[in-house]
Amino acid sequence: MAPVEILIVGCGIAGPTLATFLLLLSDVPAAQKPHITVVERASERVAHSRGQNIDVRGAGVAVLRHLGIEGLVRRSVTGEEGVRLVDGRNRVWAQSAADRTGAVQTPTADIEILRGRLSEICWRNSLRVSAEVEREEGGRGIEYIFGDYVEELDQQGGDKVIVRFAKSGVRRSFDLVVGADGLHSRTRKLVWGEEGEAYIIKRLGMYAGFFSIPREAKTDDQWRRWFHVPGRRGVMLRPDGTGTRTTVLMSVVKSNEEENQKLAELAGTGHAGVAVQKALLEEHFCDAGWECERVLREMKTTDDFYFDMVAQVKMDKWSKGRVVLLGDAGYCASPISGLGTTLAFTAAYNLAGCLQEYIKGTTPDPSPALAEYEAKMRPVVEEAQHLAPGQAYLMHPETALGIRALHLFASFVLNVKFIFTLLGKLIPFGPQMANEVTLEDYGLKTMPEWDLKDVPFEQAKQI
């Protein structure tokens, strides 16, 4: 039987992690391991640019250990000490320090890292595993294609998926296609249809701009500072681990459906709409006080600006024929869940494990494996997507009085630490769910600890 041909769309975190685990099938000879192609729309440089602060929690850390990159990831963290709620005079009203043990999932996780840095580590690690497979007789490893995307996808033939790449125009066939291309997944739209997006994407009424600015030594330190503005607006300033930059999240929450729709349309314009998106944030925060004047001034020239809606993806089924969705593309839990990255890691691990028998040729049809993957992940996803009613609105009060009430409540809950700890253990909620996820033993090979310098850039395959 010829090796299975698999296309993974997206070189973020879930995509390269899945590719790595598919090659770590311990009892499959190199010549029979799947032939994996990963296509990424962005260039190599943009795909692994800084990005926003994300975290890895609970079972996600166990996956890092399995991949052999836990030590490297921990050496690449931002060093955030915790979160502080501050007012316009920078007075701290409440704070929560990070729990470095990982036993309790505080707002700042044990591992906080920039998205671009983590995705780069996952990509480079996949190259390490790929190189090992290529050294074995008959091994082919992973092919990476940057700067291209799937424009057409046809699985009418039944046992193959025919795709056409937009930039190169090349048509290729695959046995399985995995869409790991995020909240606005093009793979999902091609297979499930554009018309279904209005029902699949559940907007939470929150829109946010992410970017970085030069660090200000007088005020920026290793604590995340969160400033609230009346009118359901908020600004977070966070360390990025370099000591020279500060990352920014500016968020706006709208309950009016007309305004919601306008912002949603603006969020979907991508890089083409950056100028308008920046102007929108300036309009919303020009009168906010605190350090917003500085933030808005630096925002105008920043080169890593990204604006998007905060939303969830909810689908009745994550696969159709020989196409399956992974991570945010199929079940985005939203950044305010605190579980997106952990879901990406654990889902990639589970999908690779479930596909073992199909890859070995025990069955010619991947459908049973995809059904098993969904059965294992859906309960976890449903818990991760369970947010407090109106959570985005509760986190962004409308009035100055509401902000004061939020500060007082947070001061009580966060400063009386045993209450927060007790709640997390008795009623797992939000990030607390990370400690409730277990990993099944699929017999996948565990990689030894590794350092990024072991794999040079030139090993990346680009077409």
Side-chain angles (χ1 to χ4, degrees):
M1 177 182 171
V4 172
E5 297 274 353
I6 299 177
L7 173 66
I8 300 173
V9 184
C11 185
I13 293 169
T17 299
L18 174 64
T20 303
F21 278 131
L22 289 172
L23 293 184
L24 292 179
L25 301 175
S26 304
D27 57 350
V28 178
Q32 294 179 23
K33 289 183 184 289
H35 291 174
I36 303 169
T37 301
V38 180
V39 62
E40 168 56 50
R41 184 167 189 155
S43 66
E44 177 190 322
R45 183 188 68 82
V46 174
H48 304 115
S49 58
R50 290 186 291 265
Q52 70 268 30
N53 303 56
I54 58 176
D55 51 53
V56 187
R57 301 172 183 268
V61 181
V63 172
L64 295 180
R65 202 167 297 131
H66 203 112
L67 292 168
I69 59 175
E70 182 188 5
L72 178 57
V73 168
R74 288 188 180 278
R75 292 193 296 276
S76 305
V77 297
T78 64
E80 183 172 295
E81 293 291 339
V83 59
R84 285 173 171 162
L85 275 62
V86 301
D87 62 16
R89 291 158 60 182
N90 227 17
R91 293 177 299 185
V92 178
W93 284 84
Q95 72 176 36
S96 171
D99 187 318
R100 299 302 182 192
T101 69
V104 178
Q105 298 299 336
T106 51
T108 292
D110 182 29
I111 295 177
E112 296 279 348
I113 187 170
L114 297 187
R115 181 194 177 280
R117 178 60 170 161
L118 182 58
S119 64
E120 181 186 29
I121 291 173
C122 293
W123 167 55
R124 297 302 181 94
N125 192 49
S126 73
L127 295 180
R128 170 175 73 139
V129 175
S130 179
E132 285 194 8
V133 172
E134 289 175 2
R135 284 193 290 268
E136 299 177 35
E137 185 177 352
R140 197 174 92 169
I142 306 169
E143 170 192 11
Y144 276 96
I145 303 173
F146 287 98
D148 210 340
Y149 62 95
V150 175
E151 187 169 52
E152 295 178 5
L153 191 153
D154 179 13
Q155 54 178 338
Q156 299 303 313
D159 60 347
K160 291 285 183 180
V161 184
I162 311 299
V163 305
R164 184 172 76 85
F165 294 108
K167 299 292 182 65
S168 67
V170 171
R171 290 184 182 275
R172 290 175 59 177
S173 67
F174 297 91
D175 299 295
L176 182 67
V177 173
V178 181
D181 44 348
L183 173 65
H184 301 290
S185 170
R186 183 176 179 82
T187 307
R188 186 181 67 233
K189 295 172 186 175
L190 287 172
V191 178
W192 277 264
E194 285 268 7
E195 63 279 2
E197 289 292 288
Y199 305 99
I200 288 172
I201 294 183
K202 309 298 182 183
R203 300 201 300 265
L204 301 179
M206 179 175 170
Y207 301 84
F210 306 91
F211 53 98
S212 69
I213 62 176
R215 184 175 184 271
E216 175 55 64
K218 292 182 179 179
T219 54
D220 297 339
D221 55 21
Q222 292 305 105
W223 283 81
R224 179 196 332 180
R225 290 183 293 143
W226 190 0
F227 173 63
H228 290 83
V229 190
R232 302 197 187 283
R233 296 169 289 171
V235 184
M236 283 188 191
L237 300 184
R238 308 179 69 175
D240 81 336
T242 67
T244 61
R245 307 287 293 179
T246 290
T247 64
V248 181
L249 183 150
M250 304 187 86
S251 53
V252 178
V253 176
K254 293 293 183 181
S255 55
N256 180 282
E257 186 54 38
E258 185 177 338
E259 290 181 299
N260 246 322
Q261 185 59 35
K262 179 182 177 181
L263 286 166
E265 291 172 358
L266 191 59
T269 58
H271 185 73
V274 164
V276 180
Q277 293 164 350
K278 286 184 176 181
L280 173 80
L281 286 181
E282 185 171 15
E283 177 186 334
H284 277 86
F285 288 92
C286 61
D287 64 344
W290 191 53
E291 298 181 29
C292 291
E293 182 181 347
R294 162 209 170 195
V295 171
L296 292 173
R297 181 179 66 249
E298 298 293 350
M299 178 189 71
K300 293 178 181 179
T301 58
T302 190
D303 62 356
D304 60 358
F305 182 88
Y306 177 72
F307 179 85
D308 206 351
M309 68 176 74
V310 175
Q312 294 186 330
V313 173
K314 294 193 175 184
M315 304 179 68
D316 294 332
K317 204 170 190 311
W318 301 331
S319 64
K320 184 178 284 190
R322 290 175 175 264
V323 178
V324 62
L325 301 176
L326 175 67
D328 282 357
Y331 37 86
C332 176
S334 85
I336 60 178
S337 74
L339 289 170
T341 309
T342 295
L343 280 181
F345 277 127
T346 54
Y349 176 86
N350 276 306
L351 180 55
C354 293
L355 284 169
Q356 283 194 82
E357 295 307 314
Y358 170 64
I359 289 171
K360 293 174 184 177
T362 306
T363 171
D365 182 5
S367 298
L370 302 183
E372 181 186 4
Y373 152 70
E374 181 156 346
K376 291 180 183 296
M377 286 302 302
R378 188 164 287 276
V380 177
V381 167
E382 289 179 351
E383 288 290 347
Q385 291 186 328
H386 184 69
L387 304 176
Q391 185 166 331
Y393 299 90
L394 293 173
M395 292 164 55
H396 297 81
E398 176 66 40
T399 65
L401 184 61
I403 293 172
R404 179 62 61 87
L406 174 67
H407 285 170
L408 293 174
F409 176 75
S411 177
F412 174 71
V413 173
L414 297 178
N415 291 342
V416 184
K417 191 172 181 180
F418 80 91
I419 295 178
F420 187 84
T421 304
L422 184 63
L423 282 173
K425 290 184 176 180
L426 293 179
I427 312 172
F429 60 94
Q432 305 299 329
M433 281 303 304
N435 287 346
E436 305 301 311
V437 181
T438 58
L439 296 179
E440 186 174 331
D441 184 4
Y442 294 108
L444 303 180
K445 179 183 176 184
T446 297
M447 294 299 292
E449 274 291 327
W450 164 80
D451 198 303
L452 190 61
K453 68 177 184 292
D454 295 339
V455 178
F457 273 5
E458 56 268 22
Q459 283 195 17
K461 301 176 182 178
Q462 296 192 54
I463 296 177

